[in-house]
Amino acid sequence: MARAGLAAAVRVARWADHALSPGTGPQRGTGKDSGKAGAKNGAKNGAKASDTGAGGAQGGKQARTAAAAAAAPADAAAGPGKGTGGVLSDASAERAAAELDVTVHQVRSDWDTARLAGLVEVHGSAARPGWRLRAWDRDDAAVLRGWVALFDAWSLAHPAPAELPPATVAETVEAVPQLLSFLQLSAGPVPVPQLLDLLDQRVRELRTERCEIPYGPQAEPEPKSPPHTNAVPPPGGPVPPAAASVLSVNGSGPPPAASVQPTAAADPDDGTVPPLPALLDWALRALSAVGALTCADGQATLTPLGSWAVWVKLEQICVAAQSPAGHIEQSAEDMLRGCARLRPNAARAEYRAWLAARDAGSAVTELLDAARGEDALLRGLAFEALRVVGAPAEPDVRAVVDETSLRPYALLWLAEHEGTDPEDVHLVLTREESTWLWVDTAAAVADHGEAELLVRHLESAPQPTVPSLIDEVRTVGHPRTVQVLVALAAAHPDPALAKAVRRAAFQVHTGGM
C-alpha cells in the first residue's frame, strides 16, 4: 500500500534524478532554446547515472546531487520568488509533464509529495534525492518511513481551504491524533457525527488549556454594567454567549442544556463559531488522500496502513513512558553515560526509549556530537545507539567518515548496515585504522575498566606480536597513545614487556622513535 501510494512521487523524483544533471545547472530559462539545451544535457548526463534504487557506488554518489537542478534559485530568468526552497521551476515542471505524460499540476503535486515523504531533500534553494529514494527498491523500511513522513504531514500535503480560520485549522490538526487513536482502538467504522463530537470535545479542551491566569498583581478593571437586555434572555429564547457568562458569574447557574450546541464553542480570539463540520470534512478528506483512512456511508475507517502507523506511534509513546533507566529527558551524553553500566540488552532498550521520544534527525546529530568528545567509551556507545536508529542515520554517518576520530566507527557501522558478514566487517578498515580503533578502545578500557581487561585487550590487537603493536601504535597519532601505553605497562604482569611498553610511552611523549 505504501509503495502504491507513493508511486507517482517516486516517479517524479527519479525523473529529476536522471533527467536533470548537476553539470547543467538549474533549469532557469523558460525559453525554447534553454529548454532544448537543458533536455540535451540532462539526457546526456542522466544516462551515466545508475538506478538510484538499485544502489551502486557511482549511482549513490551522483544521486546525492543530481536533482539539485530541479529546484532553481530565483534569478532574472525565473522571476522573483520562483524556484526557491526546493519548489520545482516552471521549465523543469513543463519538461517533466511532457516526458512523463501528465499535467504540470500533477507534476507539482507529486513533487511536493516526494519532498514531504523524504524522497527529495531540500538544501537551501536546491533539492536532491533523499536516502529513501536511493534505498527504495532494496529496503521496505525506507518505503514505510517515507509513507509515515507523508502521513505526519497530511495537513501540508492537502492544505485547508482558504476560507477556514487559521486558528481553528491549527486546533483541528492538534486534535486529529486523538481522533486517529479512537479510530484505531475502535477497530472498525466510526460514524462521522461521533468523530465530530470528539473533535468538538478536544477543541474545547485545547482552548481551556490556553486560558491561563496571569501571574503577579493585576490592575483592577473598571466596573462596567452591561445593559440589562444583554444579561437576561428573552422569554423562551436561547441564551446569548455574553448572557451565559454573566449568569454564571452572578450565580444564576448555567444556561439551559437545549441552548448549548455541539459546534458552538466560541473562539477566544475573535468570538466566532468554529466551523467544525467543515474542518472535520477537510481532515478526513486529507487523511483519505494520503491513504490513512477511508470514508463511505457517513463512516470513517482506518486503512490497514493507517492502523499500523497509529499503532506504531502509540507503541512508541508507551515505550518512551516505560524507560528502563529513566534517561529519556537527558542529553545524549548523559544518557550514554547512564547506559555504560547496563548490560547490552538493557542498554539497547534504553536507546530505543530515548530515540522514541525524539525526532530521528536531531537524535542522530546529538549522538554524533557526543561521539566527538574526548571520552572514547561514549564514542563506542554512541555508535551502538546509532545501530538502533538504523537506516535514517546513514546520511549523517556517511558525512563523518572523513573525521579522524569517527572514521573507524563510521566505516564499521556502514559495513554492517550494508549487510557485510559480521566475520568480515573488520576488513573494511586499513591496518592503520584498525590500530587507531584499538588505541581508542584501550583508552575507554583504561578510563572505565579494570587492569585485567586492558591486558586482555591485547588479544584483539591487529598485530601478531606486542613489539609490532607498539611500533604501529606510536605512528597512528592517537591523542591518548601515551596514556594507554602507560596504563598497559602498569597493568601487564610481565616485567620485561611492561618495561618495553613504558619505554615506548616515553618515546612517544618526547617525540622520539
Side-chain angles (χ1 to χ4, degrees), residues 30-88:
T30 56
K32 182 177 180 181
D33 293 337
S34 61
K36 289 183 177 180
K40 181 177 179 180
N41 292 330
K44 178 180 178 181
N45 293 283
K48 298 179 181 179
S50 59
D51 193 323
T52 302
Q58 181 180 1
K61 182 177 179 180
Q62 292 187 356
R64 287 191 289 270
T65 55
D75 58 8
K82 295 183 179 180
T84 58
V87 177
L88 204 61

Side-chain angles (χ1 to χ4, degrees), residues 157-168:
H158 300 275
E163 61 270 14
L164 293 177
T168 54

